[in-house]
Amino acid sequence: MTETTSSAGNDDVFEYLLRLGDDRLVLGHRLSEWCGHGPILEEDIALANISLDLIGQATLYLGLAGETEGKGRDADSLAYFREGVEFRNLQLVELPKGDFAFTIARQFLFDVFSLHHLEQLQRSANKELAGIASKGYKEVRYHIRHSSEWLQRLGDGTTESHNRAQKALDELWRFTGEMFAGDDVDKQLGAAGVAPDLDEIQTKWRAMVSDVIQRATLSIPSDTFMMAGGRSGRHTEHLGHMLSEMQIVARSHPGAAW
Amino acid sequence: MVTDSSRKTAAARESLLDLLSSIKDPELPVVNIVELGIVRDIVVDGASVQVDVTPTYSGCPAMQVIEQDIVQALEADGFTNVKVRYVFSPPWTTDWLSERTKTKLREFGIAPPMSVEGAGANDLVTLRRMRKTIPCPYCGSANTEEKSEFGSTACKAIHYCNSCHQPFDYFKDF
């Protein structure tokens, strides 16, 4: 059923779909950890809702990844039966949820990336990928309003909220470089018209992030050292703990359906 | 030229559309799935049928229930091989809801979606978003405010009417 309308190799497309799916699966799981712990009821609901969107998007990307791979793996088997080293998500999304300011700042940095990435991915030569991206793009428009408005409230709020938001940005900044560090997969798929140009997305990301951070009376961290490795399976120590929790039910009851 | 068999197929499709109209959205029981605009095509081949559906939100749990309901309804109608296929392009939009459907939502106490047209991409970049006035579905007042863009389901936002003091759901423009 998968129609790949480009000459891009299936392995590259599979790899790329894993990246898209894993970012959203892992971040969605982190956000779901707020369920029942949100600072106010509306936030509890909002974070659970956004989490649901992200996990829904992950299901679509991983489902398509499984079809592309053609080895009979579906979204569930890719989500629950891969080890940490096989995950292709950004390290940014696997960091523990932290306090509310950390969650909002992380969400905002990822949302801006996701918005611009999906905006372009809608025009991918891989038509199925483009269709899924169009749906996700519309959802991310809601997510980014939520995270950008909250970042401004926190930054321009009390001394406590301002300091926590700034601390979050300072801790997260070194994990943002990875979003734009393209490799051979990006190059191959870029040439085939399947994947967008990361440099262009970085320019747009930087402009939007700077604008909101400034409005929030916060500062862009001066840190220039950037972490790397998530895309090739090198992760922080946090991913393994998260996966063991996320995968335990499926692994304890292989073949169970729910 | 319309052949006999394609005329039959068209008639079959029409009656199947009626059948599918009996399936309600589990989260919006006043709206059926045809009115929701998610049924895109029906392909009948003997005892086999394929229904093309465009999902609303990626993570909407109602989609799984809807898929089961479609299979159940068509099997009860005598089909032995029922397939639901998801079509992602073009993406679903609340603009596909008819005026009649919007009226039904309003009468149910849910403010229907405003037009997606004119939402514009720049409102996100500048963050000087002009918030649309969402009229209260109960009293019609424009004196309402958004409490949360994320409500009881992915498709709804929580609003509050300052005139009649009722909280209400807004079916988000999407």
Side-chain angles (χ1 to χ4, degrees):
Chain A
M1 198 179 108
T2 308
E3 47 167 335
T4 305
T5 48
S6 69
S7 56
N10 261 11
D11 287 354
D12 284 341
V13 176
F14 173 66
E15 179 76 20
Y16 195 70
L17 287 166
L18 285 187
R19 295 176 184 186
L20 285 161
D22 289 349
D23 279 350
R24 285 151 186 86
L25 175 64
V26 172
L27 185 56
H29 189 86
R30 281 298 185 216
L31 278 183
S32 77
E33 292 172 355
W34 278 101
C35 192
H37 300 273
I40 50 172
L41 179 62
E42 286 81 358
E43 266 321 287
D44 205 283
I45 295 168
L47 294 174
N49 252 301
I50 297 168
S51 162
L52 197 62
D53 279 348
L54 291 172
I55 292 170
Q57 292 172 14
T59 309
L60 300 177
Y61 289 123
L62 293 180
L64 186 55
E67 283 180 33
T68 305
E69 187 193 35
K71 292 182 182 167
R73 290 202 281 183
D74 62 7
D76 276 351
S77 52
L78 287 170
Y80 297 120
F81 294 94
R82 273 184 302 146
E83 306 291 335
V85 292
E86 296 170 89
F87 270 73
R88 293 292 178 260
N89 58 279
L90 300 166
Q91 292 180 356
L92 174 80
V93 299
E94 73 201 30
L95 302 173
K97 74 183 199 306
D99 61 12
F100 185 63
F102 188 88
T103 282
I104 290 296
R106 184 239 303 269
Q107 194 63 32
F108 170 68
L109 296 170
F110 181 79
D111 284 345
V112 181
F113 166 64
S114 188
L115 181 87
H116 290 118
H117 191 189
L118 296 183
E119 206 272 328
Q120 301 209 24
L121 205 56
Q122 298 181 80
R123 296 185 286 275
S124 171
N126 183 315
K127 294 300 167 209
E128 292 206 338
L129 175 53
I132 297 172
S134 296
K135 188 157 288 294
Y137 175 71
K138 293 169 74 152
E139 289 164 358
V140 174
R141 288 175 57 88
Y142 274 100
H143 302 171
I144 202 168
R145 284 182 197 160
H146 175 263
S147 60
S148 63
E149 287 176 9
W150 262 112
L151 191 67
Q152 290 178 81
R153 275 190 214 116
L154 294 173
D156 198 15
T158 64
T159 307
E160 175 80 11
S161 72
H162 175 92
N163 290 344
R164 286 200 191 204
Q166 187 62 56
K167 184 164 170 279
L169 283 178
D170 292 345
E171 287 173 12
L172 287 161
W173 200 251
R174 75 186 80 113
F175 291 95
T176 58
E178 206 181 358
M179 299 191 278
F180 313 105
D183 60 8
D184 284 347
V185 172
D186 294 286
K187 269 190 218 127
Q188 298 286 347
L189 295 183
V194 173
D197 177 31
L198 288 171
D199 288 343
E200 200 182 318
I201 293 166
Q202 183 167 26
T203 307
K204 289 182 177 171
W205 179 86
R206 179 80 194 200
M208 197 183 217
V209 163
S210 305
D211 182 34
V212 175
I213 287 179
Q214 198 187 350
R215 283 164 198 271
T217 72
L218 296 163
S219 328
I220 292 209
S222 52
D223 195 353
T224 52
F225 170 75
M226 289 294 168
M227 302 288 286
R231 296 299 190 214
S232 52
R234 270 189 299 134
H235 293 282
T236 67
E237 70 271 31
H238 307 294
L239 182 68
H241 293 282
M242 197 206 92
L243 289 182
S244 63
E245 194 175 81
M246 190 184 88
Q247 297 178 331
I248 187 151
V249 175
R251 286 181 185 253
S252 308
H253 307 276
W258 60 88
Chain B
M1 199 181 105
V2 181
T3 62
D4 246 14
S5 78
S6 76
R7 202 176 280 134
K8 255 184 225 155
T9 310
R13 278 166 47 104
E14 207 54 42
S15 80
L16 286 182
L17 215 50
D18 279 349
L19 183 68
L20 293 177
S21 299
S22 66
I23 300 172
K24 307 286 183 199
D25 180 322
E27 285 168 345
L28 294 165
V30 284
V31 179
N32 71 55
I33 62 171
V34 176
E35 291 172 323
L36 199 58
I38 62 171
V39 178
R40 310 305 304 285
D41 202 4
I42 306 168
V43 182
V44 186
D45 180 14
S48 300
V49 60
Q50 177 183 300
V51 182
D52 286 355
V53 166
T54 295
T56 52
Y57 288 75
S58 306
C60 180
M63 283 313 301
Q64 288 164 21
V65 179
I66 290 172
E67 183 178 338
Q68 286 165 13
D69 287 351
I70 291 175
V71 173
Q72 213 167 24
L74 292 175
E75 281 179 351
D77 198 48
F79 289 96
T80 49
N81 181 16
V82 183
K83 198 179 155 212
V84 175
R85 189 177 72 132
Y86 289 109
V87 181
F88 294 102
S89 188
W92 178 78
T93 164
T94 45
D95 285 348
W96 294 352
L97 265 57
S98 69
E99 282 310 313
R100 205 178 87 87
T101 307
K102 289 179 183 173
T103 305
K104 278 164 90 174
L105 282 171
R106 197 180 296 111
E107 285 165 354
F108 189 63
I110 297 172
M114 311 282 270
S115 169
V116 179
E117 281 295 307
N122 291 335
D123 56 348
L124 297 175
V125 182
T126 65
L127 294 173
R128 289 194 199 96
R129 179 160 63 99
M130 290 299 292
R131 286 178 190 274
K132 293 174 184 171
T133 303
I134 309 298
C136 172
Y138 297 105
C139 71
S141 167
N143 183 12
T144 64
E145 59 182 294
E146 179 187 281
K147 288 293 182 192
S148 172
E149 206 141 34
F150 297 89
S152 55
T153 63
C155 53
K156 293 179 217 135
I158 306 170
H159 285 245
Y160 186 78
C161 177
N162 293 317
S163 296
C164 71
H165 304 290
Q166 276 269 31
F168 65 90
D169 276 335
Y170 168 57
F171 196 127
K172 295 191 277 199
D173 48 284
F174 183 75

